[in-house]
Every structure is written in C-alpha cells, then in structure tokens.
Amino acid sequence: MKNTKIKAEPSGVPFPQADKFERIINLCELLNSGDYDRNQVTQNYDFDGRQTNYYISAGIYLGLIEKHQINRSYQLSKDGKKILKLNYKQRQLAYCERILSYNVFHKVAQLYFQRGKIYLKEAKL
C-alpha cells in the first residue's frame, strides 16, 4: 500500500458497484479466452443485465477490461493480460495494487489499518 501511486479517477466510467471482487477476477479469466459481448457475459454467469453492467464497469474502472467500439464486445486490456500472466501471489498483489491506486479505496484501507476494524456497508459510520 505504501508503494502504490494514486491515479486519477477514470472519466466516463461509473464508480464500481460490484460487490464480489472474485467475480471481477473470474470475468477477467473468462475474457482471457476471448472477447465476449454483454449478452454472453450475462448468460455465462446467469446474471441479470444490471449485474452484468456492474461487473463489466468495475473491470473497466480498474483498467482490466476494455470495450471494442466496433463490435461492442469486451476484452482484457493490456494491463489485464499482463496481470493474468503473473504467478498466483504476484497476480493477487497486482489486483490489490490496482484497487489501492484509486484514492477512495486507498483511504478506506488506511482507515482500516489505523482503526483495526472494517466497516460493512450496513454499518453506520
């Protein structure tokens, strides 16, 4: 966390609403095998359309997924491909670094380490 450089918020991408990061990782693994359109992602995961949007948008926000403008499919970004080539431990660290490179997540992690507890979305701050 100390060595992570903070990036600017991506423009034109909604703030992530995906609640399970392991699904974002799995979506990246799926896209590593080829491009998928929105309907294929929805069918593969048995999501509803809203969930599909949440997970694809989270991957785009983190710079792991890109959208083809011509055929409207999704693919791994160059960074996403690079991360998936790493060994397990390095890959997990790269995902953590990717998340912590955004100021809001960095600050939340700092608060966690300062206070020694995590705040759930149901908790009142």
Side-chain angles (χ1 to χ4, degrees):
M1 191 168 115
K2 292 177 185 176
N3 298 329
T4 303
K5 292 182 181 180
I6 303 299
K7 299 178 181 186
E9 288 289 313
S11 62
V13 181
F15 189 80
Q17 296 183 56
D19 59 356
K20 295 186 179 179
F21 191 73
E22 62 268 16
R23 286 186 181 162
I24 297 169
I25 293 172
N26 187 254
L27 178 56
C28 289
E29 292 168 345
L30 178 71
L31 294 174
N32 196 37
S33 67
D35 298 359
Y36 280 70
D37 66 26
R38 186 178 176 284
N39 290 334
Q40 290 171 312
V41 172
T42 301
Q43 290 172 352
N44 188 75
Y45 291 103
D46 198 27
F47 283 163
D48 64 33
R50 187 187 69 217
Q51 287 175 298
T52 301
N53 291 340
Y54 289 165
Y55 287 99
I56 289 173
S57 292
I60 293 171
Y61 177 94
L62 293 171
L64 302 170
I65 296 172
E66 297 174 333
K67 183 176 183 179
H68 266 260
Q69 294 305 320
I70 296 171
N71 64 9
R72 303 184 60 103
S73 65
Y74 297 93
Q75 66 181 20
L76 273 182
S77 68
K78 185 174 86 173
D79 287 345
K81 290 175 185 175
K82 186 176 173 182
I83 289 172
L84 282 177
K85 289 180 181 175
L86 299 172
N87 68 43
Y88 179 77
K89 182 177 180 180
Q90 294 303 313
R91 185 171 57 235
Q92 299 306 94
L93 289 171
Y95 283 130
C96 290
E97 182 178 0
R98 181 64 54 152
I99 293 167
L100 293 173
S101 69
Y102 294 96
N103 197 37
V104 66
F105 299 113
H106 195 91
K107 285 183 178 182
V108 168
Q110 282 178 326
L111 282 173
Y112 169 76
F113 288 118
Q114 288 170 0
R115 296 180 180 172
K117 61 182 174 180
I118 192 165
Y119 292 95
L120 302 175
K121 61 184 173 182
E122 296 86 14
K124 294 185 182 192
L125 299 177

